[in-house]
Amino acid sequence: MGLNNFFCSRTTQVFEERVSMKKFLITIDGPAGSGKTTVSKLLAKRLNYKYIDTGALYRGVAFETFSQGIDPELETDLETLCDRIDLKFEITESGLRLFSNGKDISDQIRTPEISMMASRVSAKPCVRGCLLGLQKKMGQEKCAVFEGRDMGTVVFPDADVKFFMMASIKERALRRFREMGPDSSQTLEEVEQDMMKRDANDSNRDIAPLKPAPDAIKIDTTHLDIETVVNKMAQLIEAK
Ligand code: DC
């Protein structure tokens, strides 16, 4: 994995121009559908911080695994893929985009197959090792909101403010189903089943399982609207 220039120059320039009163690194962990993506984006915008979707990096590895026809259980093949893969984020007019080996793959990494493959490959030591260095490097300058599963526990144990978001499985599945829109290839029940499988994979794996850091602020979003959650988080950050 090439660690240099992981942000394209335009992105770096935009980030460098950002001014921030408090140079915090904020982590937001939680299961799929807990609201962390929406909240992380809004919070980063409000604070003028950069936003890093680490799930997209695992999806990028999953996409390459899938499209190159690699069996994720064959460690050596997965290791070779990790050595060669070059993932970069770039901010464009259509938002944050993910590039793999120079190709914009953002529109191909959100399918149910890639979601499940991301959960599978994310349990593999070579994949986690490969993305750990990249994420740490992305966080060096702070002023960032990182969302994922192990941000507060493994990648940034010294983060300035840590949040852990959760919600009931029914509510999370419903949110994801609505997000998928009328052309969804899955029923609500299938979305819920997939989510439960991914929750189990992500929480029970040996390395960096999904769990709150001991010092994380836990927020149950089942009955909360986005604005309330973001306001609450911003207040907590301000008070730091
Ligand atoms: O947040 P997401 O649904 O896009 O993440 C896709 C998968 O990637 C998820 O099932 C688990 C994995 N992941 C991880 O293991 N660690 C992270 N920091 C982020 C995501």
Side-chain angles (χ1 to χ4, degrees):
M1 154 99 54
L3 290 185
N4 293 332
N5 301 321
F6 51 80
F7 284 121
C8 300
S9 55
R10 201 168 136 236
T11 316
T12 314
Q13 191 191 337
V14 171
F15 286 162
E16 277 174 0
E17 281 165 9
R18 291 187 174 169
V19 183
S20 165
M21 296 282 286
K22 294 181 178 180
K23 289 188 179 280
F24 281 167
L25 192 145
I26 297 161
T27 60
I28 304 184
D29 289 308
S34 57
K36 62 187 189 324
T37 302
T38 315
V39 162
S40 301
K41 281 183 185 166
L42 288 171
L43 196 62
K45 198 169 174 201
R46 190 183 289 194
L47 299 171
N48 218 7
Y49 277 14
K50 64 186 172 186
Y51 158 68
I52 306 290
D53 172 9
T54 64
L57 298 174
Y58 287 92
R59 287 173 181 272
V61 174
F63 172 79
E64 290 298 345
T65 307
F66 199 76
S67 50
Q68 292 177 31
I70 290 170
D71 177 350
E73 300 313 316
L74 294 177
E75 289 272 320
T76 46
D77 289 7
L78 207 52
E79 265 170 38
T80 308
L81 183 143
C82 288
D83 287 344
R84 291 184 185 155
I85 201 167
D86 180 23
L87 296 170
K88 288 178 181 138
F89 283 119
E90 186 182 359
I91 295 181
T92 70
E93 276 163 13
S94 42
L96 188 71
R97 311 290 293 178
L98 180 69
F99 289 76
S100 172
N101 303 325
K103 188 172 152 235
D104 185 347
I105 57 165
S106 319
D107 295 333
Q108 287 140 284
I109 59 171
R110 305 277 162 200
T111 63
E113 292 77 21
I114 298 298
S115 298
M116 206 50 87
M117 183 64 96
S119 187
R120 273 181 84 184
V121 297
S122 69
K124 305 295 178 197
C126 61
V127 176
R128 297 215 78 84
C130 157
L131 295 182
L132 182 66
L134 179 62
Q135 293 168 100
K136 279 186 180 290
K137 189 132 194 189
M138 286 177 172
Q140 263 172 359
E141 288 167 23
K142 295 203 164 200
C143 297
V145 177
F146 276 81
E147 71 141 299
R149 302 290 191 288
D150 61 338
M151 295 298 102
T153 49
V154 175
V155 185
F156 300 113
D158 298 327
D160 299 285
V161 190
K162 300 179 185 178
F163 294 103
F164 189 89
M165 296 181 63
M166 51 216 168
S168 72
I169 179 71
K170 291 266 174 239
E171 177 64 22
R172 293 192 286 121
L174 192 61
R175 286 176 189 167
R176 186 49 50 91
F177 183 66
R178 286 194 184 128
E179 233 172 64
M180 291 162 87
D183 300 331
S184 166
S185 59
Q186 291 187 306
T187 63
L188 175 60
E189 289 68 32
E190 285 166 342
V191 173
E192 188 177 325
Q193 287 301 318
D194 269 12
M195 217 170 230
M196 288 199 297
K197 264 189 235 159
R198 282 217 288 147
D199 281 358
N201 283 350
D202 298 345
S203 310
N204 299 326
R205 67 183 175 221
D206 293 336
I207 330 163
L210 167 67
K211 64 173 182 191
D215 52 345
I217 301 160
K218 293 185 198 151
I219 303 179
D220 186 334
T221 67
T222 310
H223 304 294
L224 296 178
D225 63 72
I226 298 292
E227 210 190 329
T228 308
V229 177
V230 177
N231 286 339
K232 178 82 196 150
M233 287 171 145
Q235 276 169 13
L236 290 163
I237 295 163
E238 273 313 300
K240 273 288 269 187

